[in-house]
Amino acid sequence: MAGQRSYPHGVTCWIDSEQPDLEAAGRFYRGLFGWTLTDAVPPDAPGSYLIATLDGQDVAALGPGTGSTATWNTYVAVDDADATAAAVAAAGGTVLAPPADAGPGGRAAACADPQGAEFGLWQARRRLGAQLTNAPGTWNFSDLHTPDRDAAMAFYTSLFGWLAVDMAQGAGTMLQVPGYGDHLAATVDPGIHERQAAAPPGFADVIGSLVVTADEPAHWHVTFTVADRDDSVATAGRLGATVLRSADELWTRNALLRDPQGAEFTVSQFTPPGGDR
């Protein structure tokens, strides 16, 4: 495991998409992000779970969906999936699928918070989580969209110790796991604190963001880093995606997309104030 990125309890660690037509989904995301897809399910076992890699490193996965519309899912790392699933129920959430082994990779459960936002639990064994992030074609962030900030934070803080911090410099409301930045500095990213010296204080501890919204169901939303927002939008359109909106913000140029099977996600180009666009 030396050199692999690990995720402490409470840190968002993995994303996957449930897709009605897995072959078509593979064509779309290979074309958009340049992923290599490898089935993690042995040939003699039923089903498929396609691990997406860039430069040989795990970045996401595509799996078969049970419904007619695709979705992207966010997983939170836990020390004990069974104990955390029990805590989800005790805190007013719902366990949608009880903890079960996902082969030798780890143990997973599907849950929903009291407002209805679905998320996964991941107790890592062989697969520790996303190994390449924040690079073009990889997972950048997951955002919790919720109608009730206080109720959502009461739930997630009891499970994961999260803090919701309204950050300076237009960064919005960020979810933090205290000490996560120090974990990264001690393991795979020794220069994180120096590199983020100009970022809002505590940014190295951020594991997601919180968006309060009353006009949509509660859900977790995923964002991918891209080198050029406009080029990615054009490529996604050629591959059959729908562009829902684009925006130029203080730190990013981004676009909300819907893939051909209905899963919504954001592509984001980092454009810091005063930097090159």
Side-chain angles (χ1 to χ4, degrees):
M1 294 292 182
Q4 286 192 285
R5 181 171 180 171
S6 60
Y7 293 85
H9 179 90
V11 176
T12 48
C13 65
W14 185 243
I15 55 171
D16 66 15
S17 182
E18 298 174 52
Q19 296 277 339
D21 186 333
L22 197 53
E23 183 176 350
R27 289 194 299 269
F28 175 80
Y29 286 102
R30 279 196 303 264
L32 181 58
F33 294 136
W35 291 347
T36 297
L37 296 169
T38 304
D39 200 341
V41 177
D44 58 349
S48 289
Y49 191 72
L50 306 181
I51 301 294
T53 59
L54 276 177
D55 298 327
Q57 299 185 78
D58 293 356
V59 297
L62 304 175
T66 56
S68 59
T69 302
T71 186
W72 275 99
N73 306 307
T74 295
Y75 292 77
V76 181
V78 296
D79 295 331
D80 186 321
D82 295 84
T84 306
V88 166
T94 304
V95 179
L96 303 173
D101 289 337
R107 190 165 174 81
C111 303
D113 69 21
Q115 286 71 48
E118 297 184 12
F119 64 98
L121 306 177
W122 181 247
Q123 179 186 340
R125 290 171 182 157
R126 182 176 297 176
R127 293 193 181 277
L128 302 183
Q131 293 301 300
L132 180 63
T133 62
N134 302 319
T138 72
W139 178 37
N140 168 253
F141 232 47
S142 286
D143 307 319
L144 172 61
H145 292 229
T146 183
D148 190 330
R149 169 176 171 156
D150 291 343
M153 288 310 302
F155 172 77
Y156 288 105
T157 299
S158 70
L159 292 177
F160 305 127
W162 289 357
L163 302 177
V165 179
D166 298 318
M167 290 200 158
Q169 303 181 32
T173 302
M174 296 296 167
L175 301 171
Q176 294 178 327
V177 170
Y180 180 47
D182 292 338
H183 170 83
L184 290 172
T187 54
V188 295
D189 194 353
I192 186 170
H193 292 304
E194 292 76 13
R195 192 175 64 255
Q196 294 187 357
F203 197 77
D205 291 339
V206 168
I207 56 89
S209 77
L210 186 147
V211 178
V212 177
T213 176
D215 59 358
E216 59 183 342
H219 67 283
W220 279 90
H221 181 81
V222 301
T223 294
F224 295 92
T225 297
V226 294
D228 187 297
R229 188 267 317 266
D230 295 337
D231 284 352
S232 295
V233 166
T235 298
R238 288 195 300 271
L239 293 168
T242 302
V243 182
L244 301 178
R245 64 174 179 267
S246 294
D248 289 2
E249 300 180 350
L250 181 62
W251 291 89
T252 63
R253 302 178 71 218
N254 56 70
L256 176 64
L257 306 178
R258 180 181 293 134
D259 77 15
Q261 298 186 69
E264 294 185 6
F265 62 97
T266 293
V267 293
S268 178
Q269 175 188 351
F270 183 51
T271 53
D276 294 334
R277 289 177 181 262

